[in-house]
Amino acid sequence: MAAVSNIILKDDRFRASGISEAEWKVRVDLAAFYRLSALYGWDDFIYTHISARVPGPDHHFLINPFGLMFDEITASSLVKVDLDGNVIGDSDYGINYAGYVIHSAIHGARKDAHFIAHFHSADGMAVSAHAEGLLPLNQRALALIPRLSYHDYEGVALNLDERERLVADLGDTKVMLLRNHGTLALGASPGEAFSGIYHLEEACKAQVRTLSIGRDRVLIAPEEAQEEVRRQISRERKPVEGAKSHHDLVWEAALRKAERQSPGFDA
């Protein structure tokens, strides 16, 4: 089955609005990301946010209209803003200012941040508030820990000066725990960002379940095994030329799920 976004782009609906084909594709991918996040239970009523950079030189990005739930979002309902928070074009809704602060910081600082997801899941918040953070309890966590960053809680993200500290704490990582707050992942493609947030959310869920049976008898992975995983992920193979990357395969599968279980995101 062809990727959903390739099918959608054969439709000329986006042309009537003056949106470029490249932007429409990003809109469809981002709307699907929202629908998938609702399916996986990562949404938080009308709160939290996923954003995507708009192709082109203007440094615009797309984010959810504040007031719609994740399973209501469509490609055409997404709000376009610039790095100063100005809404570009018409929208029936505004944006969540805290979402603007977080996402503008990262889009402005990281060229590889084409998609950014930030959630307040119960398990993500629980692990973000754990003094030891993400623990080496399972294979998923072991693969994340070497490339996971942390940002200390400073209150609701309404202060623009927090952006500099957030970016500094993020460094060159692509997955982060915002202390006492939640999870964050970014990627150069929707598949990379989706894969990152999926693995982080699942690792947090596994940790909460593991620690619920008691800390005393929980096995921390041996240091030798932790070091071996670090070596393994540091030498991940690049895809053969012409072959699809792991993230491409992830996203194509995710799009098929979105089309089956939450159709209409491409409207």
Side-chain angles (χ1 to χ4, degrees):
M1 181 178 177
V4 175
S5 57
N6 291 336
I7 296 171
I8 292 167
L9 286 175
K10 294 178 182 178
D11 193 327
D12 286 339
R13 282 173 293 176
F14 65 89
R15 299 186 192 283
S17 64
I19 296 173
S20 70
E21 184 171 340
E23 179 179 331
W24 184 252
K25 182 182 185 306
V26 172
R27 283 176 172 270
V28 169
D29 283 336
L30 183 56
F33 205 140
Y34 275 102
R35 297 295 189 93
L36 287 159
S37 299
L39 290 173
Y40 279 98
W42 300 332
D43 52 344
D44 180 17
F45 197 49
I46 64 170
Y47 309 105
T48 68
H49 9 79
I50 314 165
S51 64
R53 178 175 293 146
V54 176
D58 296 324
H59 304 290
H60 296 159
F61 64 93
L62 300 164
I63 198 164
N64 50 318
F66 190 48
L68 294 185
M69 297 181 71
F70 278 22
D71 61 2
E72 296 180 290
I73 289 174
T74 62
S76 58
S77 69
L78 291 161
V79 181
K80 189 192 311 188
V81 297
D82 63 20
L83 291 180
D84 294 320
N86 300 305
V87 173
I88 309 299
D90 298 324
S91 175
D92 294 332
Y93 295 87
I95 62 171
N96 184 321
Y97 187 75
Y100 157 71
V101 170
I102 293 170
H103 290 256
S104 65
I106 300 171
H107 280 302
R110 292 281 296 269
K111 292 183 178 179
D112 58 344
H114 288 256
F115 285 78
I116 306 166
H118 164 54
F119 299 139
H120 298 162
S121 69
D123 295 321
M125 288 192 293
V127 175
S128 77
H130 195 286
E132 295 177 274
L134 188 64
L135 293 166
L137 298 174
N138 54 69
Q139 181 167 275
R140 195 185 303 275
L142 290 176
L144 283 169
I145 288 170
R147 44 192 176 185
L148 178 66
S149 57
Y150 293 84
H151 174 64
D152 287 341
Y153 188 61
E154 299 186 21
V156 179
L158 301 177
N159 299 320
L160 291 177
D161 62 357
E162 185 179 353
R163 294 190 294 184
E164 182 177 350
R165 295 182 291 278
L166 173 64
V167 167
D169 288 338
L170 183 64
D172 61 359
T173 68
K174 295 185 177 182
V175 284
M176 171 179 262
L177 281 172
L178 288 82
R179 290 292 196 177
N180 310 101
H181 190 171
T183 56
L184 185 144
L186 64 91
S189 67
E192 184 177 25
F194 184 82
S195 182
I197 203 68
Y198 174 85
H199 289 298
L200 182 55
E201 289 287 345
E202 288 296 305
C204 289
K205 182 192 299 182
Q207 177 162 320
V208 170
R209 292 187 181 185
T210 302
L211 296 184
S212 72
I213 60 177
R215 182 73 162 83
D216 292 344
R217 291 185 173 272
V218 168
L219 292 176
I220 297 294
E223 183 55 45
E224 296 81 3
Q226 295 184 46
E227 181 57 36
E228 177 59 20
V229 173
R230 284 192 285 269
R231 285 194 294 268
Q232 290 170 334
I233 64 174
S234 69
R235 59 173 186 264
E236 288 181 348
R237 297 178 181 177
K238 294 182 178 180
V240 177
E241 185 176 355
K244 293 178 180 177
S245 71
H246 171 78
H247 295 139
D248 291 337
L249 295 173
V250 163
W251 190 239
E252 289 182 4
L255 282 171
R256 293 193 298 270
K257 182 181 181 74
E259 186 181 45
R260 289 192 307 271
Q261 298 186 18
S262 190
F265 59 86
D266 56 321

